[in-house]
Amino acid sequence: MIINVTKSFLPPIEEYQEIIKGIWENTWLTNNGPLVRELENKLKDYLNVENLLFVGNGTIAIQIALKALELSGEIITTPFSYCATTTSILWENLQPKFVDIEPNTYNINANLIEAAITEKTSGILATHVYGRPCDVEKIEKIAQKYNLKVIYDGAHGFGATYKGKSVLSFGDITTCSFHATKVFHTIEGGSIICNNEDLLKKLAFYRSFGHKNDDYYMMGINGKNSEFHAAMGLCNLPKVADIINNRRIISEKYDSLLNWSKLSRPSNNIEGFTYNYAYYPVILESEEKLLQVTAALKEQEIIPRRYFYPSLNQLPYLDFYNPCPVSENIALRALSLPLYYDLALTDVERITQIINSNL
Ligand SMILES: *Cc1c(COP(=O)(O)O)cnc(C)c1O
């Protein structure tokens, strides 16, 4: 059996069937249906946030966020994230400006942000990498001083908390992904969380072609999601606590078995933070070691993932280069190990033995 870096959770099929039965009764498949609204309400309760929209995916969430905040010119962003963080900026015809990351959390280094601000800067788009919160206090101060909007790509943050609040509750807008590979998923899907009602209304118009009843009230796009996706979310949400708990046990097994004299990892030493065990990244001594370990694992049908690689300031389609030495270095050496709700602890032992003997 192949062991992949992740495996999507699936609820018992009967539970899914029970929820989608209603769709056959009301023939309401999409367009803000009852299951979408039920999921939105349950997510607001679970995350303890005021405003949340369920959308088609985590990428359209970022794009709608950039639009709704009317950003222009340059966006300060992180080079250590999934490509969607950067491509969303480019797709909206904005200019990404990469600021290097902190060596401990791999989140954007808030101390370097001010030096990157120009008169063209309108916003900051940063990722809570592997679920660990950015320095939200420092970023908030900078944003206020320079009148910038803040968007967090919270694709990894579902279920993680910081100072008693969801990691997804900071900034002007936080987006999340509910893709099949994430801790909580709706097959494809995502959310937009924001801090005020007016912004919420605007985001909702953007999500649905800018329609106000039958009027073309404003220009929008299609960011909606369906009743079938919402139904998967409704099945999975009550299971998230157990899923995270299993991931914690598996992660602690890795913690106890890996040879830390030859490996490093992002720090969990962030005051007030509780982790969601979204990923299990390790940093090898060199890219050469990373390739050697990957090959040894692959021989046993174990498939880790270079996540994130490359550093986004080195994406091949960029026509400029902002040096980010810390991110470039971490991206060469970062490997995410298999982690999912029912990964056997005996497999974790096997995986760590292969890794340790190749360090
Ligand atoms: C998964 C992910 C996305 C994209 O989300 P989709 O739902 O797949 O569009 C964006 N940013 C980060 C950091 C991600 O991990």
Side-chain angles (χ1 to χ4, degrees), residues 11-12 19 77 84 88 133 147 151 173 236 288 292 321 326 329 337 345:
I19 295 186
T77 191
S88 300
N147 195 23
I151 301 171
I173 292 179
N236 289 344
E288 192 188 356
Q292 185 188 325
Y321 173 59
V326 180
N329 179 276
L337 304 183
L345 295 179

Side-chain angles (χ1 to χ4, degrees), residues 57-60 62 81-82 84-85 127 153 155-156 176-179 181-182 188-190 279 307-308:
N57 57 68
T59 306
I60 196 79
I62 303 172
S81 184
Y82 184 57
T85 317
T127 301
D153 179 345
H156 300 173
C176 192
S177 167
F178 303 154
H179 183 258
T181 55
K182 312 290 188 196
E188 289 276 356
Y279 295 90
Y307 199 65
F308 302 106

Side-chain angles (χ1 to χ4, degrees), residues 45-324:
D45 284 348
Y46 181 87
L47 298 168
N48 198 17
V49 295
E50 290 287 317
N51 305 304
L52 177 147
L53 295 173
F54 181 44
V55 295
N57 57 68
T59 306
I60 196 79
I62 303 172
Q63 288 173 218
I64 292 175
L66 291 164
K67 265 280 203 281
L69 293 171
E70 298 178 23
L71 300 187
S72 62
E74 295 174 1
I75 309 297
I76 287 178
T77 191
T78 177
F80 198 68
S81 184
Y82 184 57
C83 68
T85 317
T86 299
T87 58
S88 300
I89 297 173
L90 295 168
W91 203 267
E92 297 303 327
N93 281 321
L94 300 163
Q95 180 69 23
K97 184 113 176 221
F98 294 100
V99 165
D100 209 354
I101 58 171
E102 294 173 5
N104 294 331
T105 61
Y106 316 153
N107 285 327
I108 196 166
N109 188 333
N111 294 324
L112 302 177
I113 290 177
E114 279 197 82
I117 295 173
T118 72
E119 68 280 4
K120 291 188 193 147
T121 309
S122 64
I124 298 169
L125 170 55
T127 301
H128 298 307
V129 176
Y130 306 129
R132 290 170 180 78
C134 294
D135 190 338
V136 292
E137 288 96 357
K138 205 170 274 172
I139 291 172
E140 172 68 26
K141 274 200 195 119
I142 296 167
Q144 279 180 1
K145 182 168 168 194
Y146 293 91
N147 195 23
L148 305 175
K149 301 291 186 190
V150 179
I151 301 171
Y152 288 111
D153 179 345
H156 300 173
F158 195 93
T161 63
Y162 178 58
K163 298 192 174 163
K165 292 163 74 171
S166 166
V167 164
L168 307 181
S169 53
F170 298 92
D172 293 286
I173 292 179
T174 297
T175 63
C176 192
S177 167
F178 303 154
H179 183 258
T181 55
K182 312 290 188 196
V183 168
F184 165 75
H185 82 86
T186 61
I187 311 170
E188 289 276 356
S191 67
I192 307 178
I193 290 167
C194 72
N195 60 8
N196 86 63
E197 290 282 330
D198 290 337
L199 188 54
L200 180 80
K201 280 189 196 131
K202 197 164 167 189
L203 290 160
F205 279 125
Y206 277 127
R207 176 176 66 168
S208 192
F209 301 107
H211 266 295
K212 197 180 218 171
N213 302 318
D214 280 342
D215 289 341
Y216 297 113
Y217 174 66
M218 58 196 272
M219 193 194 82
I221 196 165
N222 185 356
K224 293 179 275 96
N225 212 332
S226 82
E227 293 292 276
F228 289 87
H229 293 83
M232 183 58 79
L234 288 167
C235 285
N236 289 344
L237 189 58
K239 315 252 197 287
V240 167
D242 281 344
I243 292 171
I244 291 177
N245 193 47
N246 282 9
R247 299 174 78 105
R248 178 183 61 76
I249 292 165
I250 295 160
S251 298
E252 286 171 356
K253 189 81 179 170
Y254 274 126
D255 287 347
S256 70
L257 293 176
L258 284 166
N259 177 2
W260 295 106
S261 68
K262 299 275 179 71
L263 292 168
S264 56
R265 55 183 152 173
S267 170
N268 268 337
N269 194 8
I270 304 168
E271 209 185 308
F273 167 59
T274 48
Y275 191 31
N276 58 355
Y277 303 90
Y279 295 90
Y280 201 94
V282 292
I283 312 300
L284 284 290
E285 284 182 333
S286 63
E287 184 181 31
E288 192 188 356
K289 282 279 173 218
L290 176 144
L291 295 173
Q292 185 188 325
V293 164
T294 306
L297 289 169
K298 204 170 170 191
E299 260 173 41
Q300 305 297 319
E301 298 196 299
I302 298 159
I303 317 293
R305 182 159 180 226
R306 297 188 75 171
Y307 199 65
F308 302 106
Y309 175 81
S311 181
L312 297 174
N313 60 317
Q314 298 178 305
L315 281 170
Y317 38 80
L318 295 179
D319 58 4
F320 65 94
Y321 173 59
N322 301 143
C324 296

